[in-house]
Amino acid sequence: MAAESEIIFSRESNVVEQANKEIRTSVKDIEKEKEKFYAAIFLSTVTGISALIGFGTTLASARKQDPKYFNEGLSGCKGLNETGASLALRALGWGTFYAVTGCGLLFYGIWKISGAKNAEEFRYKMGSLLPRIPKNDPPQSRTEFEGLTDLLTYLADDWGKKKD
C-alpha cells in the first residue's frame, strides 16, 4: 500500500512539475510578445513624430522663403479651381495608393512564384536562391574610425586596396 501511494505521489509531483514548466514557458512567451508589442509602438511613435517634425520644418521654411505665394497656395487665387494644398494632398493620396498597390502586387507575385506556404519556407527558398554573404571574421580591413572624416578619408583613399 505504501509503495502504491508513493508511486501515485511521484506521478502527481511529476505532473505538477510539468505543469509548472509549461506555465513558466507560457509566461515567458507572453512577456516576449508584450516586449515586441511595446517595441513596435515605440518605433511607430518615433517614426510618426519624426515625420511630423520633418513636414512641419519643411512647411515653415517654405512659408518663410515666400509668404505671399505660400498663402495663395493655401487659399487659392482667381484662375485656379483648387488650392495648391488640396492639389498636393490629392497627388500624395494617389502616389501612396500606387506605391502600396504596386509593391504589394510585386511582393505577392514573388511569394506565389516561389511556391512557399509560410514565411519560414519562403526564407529558406530565398536563402537557397540568393548568394551567401561571407563572414568577415577576422576583419580584412579597418573597422574602427575616429570620426566621419576619418571614415570618408579611408573610403576615398584606402578602401578596396590589397595590403602588401
Side-chain angles (χ1 to χ4, degrees), residues 18-33:
Q18 188 177 7
N20 284 339
K21 287 180 183 178
E22 288 176 7
I23 290 172
R24 281 189 224 119
T25 304
S26 65
V27 167
K28 287 180 182 178
D29 290 344
I30 291 171
E31 288 176 0
K32 285 181 183 179
E33 291 295 322

Side-chain angles (χ1 to χ4, degrees), residues 16-101:
V16 170
E17 287 176 23
Q18 188 177 7
N20 284 339
K21 287 180 183 178
E22 288 176 7
I23 290 172
R24 281 189 224 119
T25 304
S26 65
V27 167
K28 287 180 182 178
D29 290 344
I30 291 171
E31 288 176 0
K32 285 181 183 179
E33 291 295 322
K34 200 184 243 187
E35 186 177 326
K36 286 181 184 178
F37 178 72
Y38 288 142
I41 288 176
F42 172 74
L43 290 175
S44 299
T45 304
V46 169
T47 302
I49 290 172
S50 299
L52 286 175
I53 288 173
F55 183 73
T57 305
T58 304
L59 206 58
S61 69
R63 174 181 254 166
K64 192 174 185 178
Q65 284 179 353
D66 200 352
K68 178 185 170 195
Y69 288 114
F70 181 82
N71 288 332
E72 282 182 14
L74 288 178
S75 61
C77 53
K78 292 180 184 175
L80 299 175
N81 293 335
E82 61 183 328
T83 65
S86 65
L87 182 65
L89 193 59
R90 192 169 49 142
L92 178 66
W94 279 109
T96 303
F97 171 75
Y98 288 137
V100 170
T101 303

Side-chain angles (χ1 to χ4, degrees), residues 103-118:
C103 287
L105 287 173
L106 175 70
F107 301 150
Y108 182 74
I110 292 171
W111 177 275
K112 284 301 177 183
I113 289 172
S114 75
K117 303 286 187 250
N118 55 31

